[in-house]
Amino acid sequence: MKEDNCLHAALICLGVLYYSHAVTTDKLNHARPSLHGHHEKGKEGQVLHRSKRGWVWNQFFVIEEYTGPDPVLVGRLHSDIDSGDGNIKYILSGEGAGIIFVIDDKSGNIHATKTLDREERAQYTLTAQAVDRNTNRPLEPPSEFIVKVQDINDNPPEFLHENYHANVPERSNVGTSVIQVTASDADDPTYGNSAKLVYSILEGQPYFSVEAQTGIIRTALPNMDREAKEEYHVVIQAKDMGGHMGGLSGTTKVTITLTDVNDNPPKFPQSVYQMSVSEAAVPGEEVGRVKAKDPDIGENGLVAYSIIDGDGMDMFEITTDYETQEGVVKLKKLLDFETKKSYSLKVEAANVHIDPKFISNGPFKDTVTVKISVEDADEPPVFLKPSYVFEVQENAASGTVVGKVHAKDPDAANSAIRYSIDRHTDLERYFIINAEDGNIKTIKALDREEIAWHNISVFAVEVHKQHQEAKVPVAIKVIDVNDNAPKFAAAYEAFVCENARSNQQFITISADDKDDSANGPRFIFTLPPEIIHNPNFTLRDNRDNTASVLVRREGFSRQKQDLYLLPIVISDGGVPPMSSTNTLTIRVCACDSNGSLLSCNAEAYILNAGLSTGALIAILACIVILLVIVVLFVTLKRQKKEPLIVFEEEDVRENIITYDDEGGGEEDTEAFDIATLQNPDGINGFIPRKDIKPEYQYMPRPGLRPAPNSVDVDDFINTRIQEADNDPTAPPYDSIQIYGYEGRGSVAGSLSSLESATTDSDLDYDYLQNWGPRFKKLADLYGSKDTFDDDS
């Protein structure tokens, strides 16, 4: 590019506005040689050098927050080829072009049409170019420049937090760092002092100070005491412009808390504590409390209590209640008013955690005197021992003395004592105790194998004060005697093979004895003397409380004998020894060649001369024929329907005979013939039944059948009842027959109501008239008496 065709730009005006006016400075830079070149290659490899514009400009400045009535002139662009005839047109593009920044296309003047804020955007990059107004042909390559927004102090400092909280130990040295507060300023830190901050303290003197440049808060007074004042409120200010007049400022609040250190020892509020305790109190019972005050808090205020001296160190103890910070005095041993009536203790309270920095403030402990008086109490009886253990042999005779318990009244009165057994602990009432002297005796025999230990409780009460009682456990051990013979340890059942060899062992047995080990093993196993030479089996004592049973001979056979019972005598080692005879069941079984059991069931003999095939077929055919006959018989039996009992037409029991006359009682023998009540077939003593097949012929018992013309009705009825009861062929149902004979001499009198109307009766039947038409007949019948009487 030729030098005369270069675009020469001139900085005509650099506007700087201070509050209410602007200063414009025009600067024109002429072309000068470029210090740095740009190389491009031509078509034939020739290197061409393109020089930059002969003048340097790359940035303009504009003041932020300008609020004047006219747009701010940023600067002016001008090209050397611009002759002023208006043929050159200036074009502006880039950030904010046309919106914030506009250019006069004829003069090249650049204006800012809006108020700019550096904190929102600090600079803009624009591109300017000169083109032919008519053809828009570029006359100059585009040129880039920057418009920087110049800062003014329009933003106050701001702290990161509105409120700060910090802690510092009490009694810290002067200058101890507490916390650092930091503020920031949105103004440009590279231009002027708009962002240069200085910190100062507005509230909180003289306790704290702040470093002006860093914002670090430090302590300013020594020995600040948390117990005097725990919390402080400090106000810190940050001011820009280096803290000078006209600068903007911001503030924050800092709450500083003094943390506790152990700088105070515990102190008792009084020098002597008075306490009292009853002699009836039990160990562990609280006697009283002491408390040393420590103004420190947390672990620095923890206090531990201990007894360091006094005549009650063995009788009392003290523990620390860390929730209330109190020392709890407790009873350690039982007291006795009659022995000692008062005690004295020296109690010390000391801090648990001590800070070495403040050891000079010590000692961090304090002491106090505790005086304890013992109060007299009506005490219950006291046994001489806390528990008793006695022994007694089992099976001892009733009344055997087991042992003796003894209790006394610890009070000065020394009341008499009575003893008794708590029956809840001796429900079976094995024992009894003498109420005066405490001797315990048996009242029934004891069995160690049933109960080896008896644990009972004995009461002791004062004779004149029944509410004062004591209780002591008594353990009674039942000593074993050899009263149980040993027995098999299990229900043994042995198996021996048919092919067993002589002296072959086939089972090992052991014994069990209910007695104690001293009267049990060692067990001795023997055979009874009468079978000591048993030809089948022998017994060997293994001398370890077991015995082995061996086969004495060979050749057992299940067909000859499949079960053997071998008695074995077992003796124990007690004094005197006990023995018992136990029976071992031995079964003969079939085994394979290895001795493994195959079968122990009894088998029938198989005859050498077996049945032929023809004989077996004949037997089966007979069985089939018999079954067919039975089926046919049953079928015909079901098809043939006959009445259960064969009656002849003249059987009078099916006839209903009504008699309207009244009988004459037992003395009436002319009313009817008793023979009409008899079954003609029953005369012979047997009534045939068709519903079942009698297994045997029932024969009537002689002498029970009355004569046909007998008039003894009572004997007749009893005979028929006995025949029915003894008849095994009778079906399982009853036949109810009622015979009513009422004679003239009957005590019951007449039961008929036919003559009621003619009897003398005091009853009034007039109410029947009100019962309706259904009772009209009765009303006419029974109510006519009065009418008849009136007529007569």
Side-chain angles (χ1 to χ4, degrees):
M1 184 182 295
K2 294 182 180 181
E3 186 176 314
D4 54 349
N5 292 331
C6 293
L7 175 63
H8 296 280
L11 179 59
I12 305 301
C13 176
L14 177 62
V16 180
L17 300 179
Y18 292 98
Y19 301 101
S20 61
H21 66 278
V23 178
T24 305
T25 303
D26 295 336
K27 300 175 69 176
L28 179 61
N29 295 329
H30 296 282
R32 61 186 180 186
S34 174
L35 297 178
H36 302 282
H38 183 77
H39 302 279
E40 293 184 358
K41 291 184 178 181
K43 296 181 180 180
E44 297 180 357
Q46 181 181 4
V47 178
L48 300 178
H49 297 274
R50 185 185 67 182
S51 61
K52 291 186 178 179
R53 287 178 295 273
W55 44 271
V56 177
W57 65 278
N58 62 356
Q59 61 183 6
F60 294 132
F61 295 89
V62 61
I63 298 297
E64 68 169 336
E65 304 294 347
Y66 176 73
T67 57
D70 299 325
V72 179
L73 176 62
V74 177
R76 180 180 180 185
L77 298 178
H78 183 72
S79 178
D80 291 342
I81 63 174
D82 186 3
S83 59
D85 55 3
N87 291 327
I88 295 178
K89 180 180 179 181
Y90 296 96
I91 299 175
L92 185 67
S93 61
E95 297 174 347
I99 301 174
I100 299 175
F101 303 101
V102 296
I103 189 172
D104 189 338
D105 60 354
K106 293 183 179 180
S107 64
N109 292 332
I110 301 174
H111 292 81
T113 61
K114 293 184 177 181
T115 300
L116 303 180
D117 188 356
R118 190 201 68 83
E119 288 71 35
E120 182 177 337
R121 187 158 189 168
Q123 65 181 21
Y124 298 86
T125 301
L126 300 172
T127 302
Q129 189 176 25
V131 300
D132 186 275
R133 183 177 296 277
N134 297 322
T135 63
N136 285 332
R137 180 177 62 84
L139 302 177
E140 166 92 18
S143 181
E144 186 179 272
F145 64 96
I146 296 174
V147 176
K148 287 189 175 181
V149 181
Q150 194 169 4
D151 183 52
I152 64 173
N153 190 18
D154 60 343
N155 291 283
E158 293 183 357
F159 284 92
L160 299 180
H161 303 286
E162 183 178 356
N163 293 288
Y164 289 85
H165 295 273
N167 298 321
V168 63
E170 63 174 332
R171 299 189 180 276
S172 296
N173 296 327
V174 175
T176 301
S177 176
V178 180
I179 190 175
Q180 182 178 15
V181 294
T182 304
S184 61
D185 196 317
D187 293 326
D188 188 359
T190 63
Y191 181 79
N193 294 325
S194 299
K196 186 177 181 180
L197 304 180
V198 174
Y199 298 94
S200 61
I201 184 169
L202 301 182
E203 295 181 14
Q205 301 97 339
Y207 306 104
F208 300 95
S209 62
V210 64
E211 292 184 357
Q213 305 301 324
T214 61
I216 297 175
I217 301 175
R218 299 181 182 274
T219 58
L221 284 180
N223 297 325
M224 286 190 291
D225 191 3
R226 184 199 66 83
E227 288 74 31
K229 185 176 181 180
E230 183 176 7
E231 192 173 81
Y232 296 84
H233 298 281
V234 179
V235 178
I236 302 297
Q237 174 184 266
K239 191 173 184 180
D240 59 14
M241 298 300 292
H244 294 98
M245 184 73 68
L248 303 178
S249 64
T251 60
T252 186
K253 294 180 180 180
V254 182
T255 301
I256 301 175
T257 303
L258 296 183
T259 58
D260 184 61
V261 297
N262 191 9
D263 58 341
N264 295 282
K267 293 291 182 183
F268 283 104
Q270 60 195 67
S271 59
V272 178
Y273 283 86
Q274 296 287 345
M275 299 179 184
S276 62
V277 60
S278 173
E279 64 170 338
V282 296
E285 186 173 333
E286 181 179 328
V287 178
R289 294 187 175 222
V290 297
K291 184 175 183 179
K293 296 183 179 180
D294 191 330
D296 296 323
I297 60 175
E299 67 176 13
N300 296 317
L302 294 179
V303 178
Y305 298 88
S306 62
I307 300 175
I308 60 176
D309 197 7
D311 58 359
M313 293 183 64
D314 296 334
M315 305 301 295
F316 300 92
E317 62 183 355
I318 189 169
T319 59
T320 303
D321 186 345
Y322 287 103
E323 292 185 0
T324 61
Q325 290 298 301
E326 293 177 320
V328 183
V329 180
K330 295 182 179 179
L331 185 62
K332 190 176 181 180
K333 295 181 180 179
L334 290 174
L335 300 173
D336 187 4
F337 175 80
E338 290 73 22
T339 303
K340 190 173 178 62
K341 297 179 175 58
S342 64
Y343 295 89
S344 178
L345 302 174
K346 188 175 183 179
V347 177
E348 180 184 80
N351 279 133
V352 177
H353 303 282
I354 299 177
D355 193 340
K357 296 179 181 179
F358 306 99
I359 195 67
S360 59
N361 295 357
F364 287 85
K365 57 186 177 180
D366 193 15
T367 58
V368 72
T369 300
V370 178
K371 294 184 178 181
I372 303 174
S373 59
V374 180
E375 297 177 349
D376 189 20
D378 186 8
E379 300 175 84
V382 177
F383 282 94
L384 299 185
K385 295 181 181 180
S387 62
Y388 292 85
V389 178
F390 301 129
E391 294 182 350
V392 61
Q393 285 192 344
E394 67 173 326
N395 301 325
S398 176
T400 301
V401 176
V402 177
K404 181 179 181 180
V405 297
H406 183 67
K408 66 177 183 177
D409 182 8
D411 296 325
N414 194 17
S415 301
I417 305 298
R418 294 185 63 85
Y419 303 93
S420 62
I421 295 177
D422 183 3
R423 288 305 172 187
H424 293 92
T425 61
D426 186 25
L427 297 176
E428 299 295 330
R429 295 183 177 269
Y430 288 103
F431 307 98
I432 190 172
I433 189 170
N434 189 301
E436 283 75 24
D437 59 13
N439 276 323
I440 301 175
K441 298 180 181 180
T442 62
I443 55 177
K444 61 172 64 175
L446 305 179
D447 188 0
R448 190 204 67 86
E449 288 71 39
E450 182 179 350
I451 304 177
W453 284 86
H454 294 266
N455 297 297
I456 64 175
S457 296
V458 175
F459 290 112
V461 298
E462 297 181 14
V463 174
H464 302 293
K465 298 177 181 178
Q466 297 293 330
H467 65 281
Q468 293 292 354
E469 68 175 15
K471 186 177 182 181
V472 67
V474 178
I476 302 174
K477 180 181 179 181
V478 182
I479 301 175
D480 182 52
V481 296
N482 193 18
D483 58 346
N484 289 279
K487 297 180 180 180
F488 277 157
Y492 294 107
E493 185 174 0
F495 302 91
V496 64
C497 296
E498 290 181 308
N499 56 356
R501 298 185 304 275
S502 178
N503 293 325
Q504 179 180 346
Q505 175 183 334
F506 60 90
I507 189 173
T508 300
I509 59 175
S510 62
D512 188 16
D513 196 327
K514 294 182 179 180
D515 291 324
D516 198 4
S517 58
N519 293 315
R522 172 177 90 82
F523 299 121
I524 300 174
F525 299 84
T526 59
L527 293 177
E530 61 271 14
I531 62 167
I532 192 68
H533 300 294
N534 187 289
N536 299 314
F537 306 100
T538 184
L539 183 69
R540 181 178 65 201
D541 192 337
N542 297 326
R543 298 183 179 276
D544 60 353
N545 299 320
T546 64
S548 300
V549 183
L550 296 86
V551 177
R552 174 167 284 184
R553 66 177 179 86
E554 298 180 355
F556 289 91
S557 174
R558 285 182 295 166
Q559 285 75 20
K560 294 180 180 180
Q561 186 173 351
D562 64 345
L563 182 67
Y564 293 88
L565 300 178
L566 180 64
I568 298 175
V569 178
I570 307 176
S571 302
D572 60 21
V575 179
M578 298 284 292
S579 63
S580 66
T581 301
N582 301 264
T583 301
L584 177 64
T585 303
I586 304 173
R587 293 187 178 276
V588 180
C589 302
C591 304
D592 57 14
S593 58
N594 297 325
S596 301
L597 294 179
L598 296 178
S599 173
C600 291
N601 297 325
E603 298 179 357
Y605 283 107
I606 301 177
L607 299 178
N608 294 329
L611 295 176
S612 63
T613 305
L616 293 175
I617 295 175
I619 293 173
L620 293 176
C622 293
I623 292 174
V624 172
I625 293 173
L626 289 175
L627 291 175
V628 171
I629 293 174
V630 171
V631 171
L632 292 175
F633 178 77
V634 172
T635 304
L636 294 175
K637 186 80 172 177
R638 291 180 177 178
Q639 292 179 355
K640 184 178 180 180
K641 297 182 180 179
E642 295 183 2
L644 296 178
I645 303 176
V646 178
F647 297 102
E648 296 180 0
E649 294 181 358
E650 62 270 22
D651 191 354
V652 298
R653 289 184 298 172
E654 290 287 64
N655 299 329
I656 299 176
I657 303 174
T658 303
Y659 298 95
D660 293 333
D661 58 333
E662 185 176 350
E666 290 86 344
E667 299 177 357
D668 188 2
T669 58
E670 300 177 356
F672 60 91
D673 189 354
I674 190 63
T676 58
L677 297 176
Q678 297 177 347
N679 188 355
D681 294 332
I683 298 299
N684 297 326
F686 176 71
I687 300 177
R689 304 285 184 177
K690 293 299 184 72
D691 57 337
I692 61 174
K693 181 180 180 180
E695 296 181 357
Y696 58 89
Q697 184 68 29
Y698 171 71
M699 298 299 295
R701 295 176 60 184
L704 296 179
R705 180 170 53 86
N709 296 326
S710 175
V711 295
D712 191 347
V713 178
D714 186 50
D715 291 342
F716 171 75
I717 294 175
N718 291 333
T719 301
R720 295 302 303 270
I721 292 175
Q722 188 174 5
E723 289 179 358
D725 292 340
N726 296 326
D727 186 0
T729 62
Y733 52 81
D734 296 333
S735 177
I736 300 176
Q737 299 179 359
I738 300 174
Y739 302 93
Y741 300 100
E742 185 177 350
R744 295 184 181 89
S746 175
V747 179
S750 176
L751 299 178
S752 175
S753 61
L754 296 177
E755 298 179 358
S756 298
T758 61
T759 60
D760 296 333
S761 175
D762 295 334
L763 297 178
D764 185 6
Y765 295 100
D766 291 339
Y767 60 87
L768 293 176
Q769 300 290 342
N770 302 325
W771 283 17
R774 293 187 179 183
F775 297 91
K776 186 176 184 302
K777 185 66 176 178
L778 289 175
D780 295 341
L781 182 62
Y782 290 95
S784 60
K785 179 180 178 180
D786 296 337
T787 306
F788 178 79
D789 293 340
D790 295 339
D791 295 339
S792 61

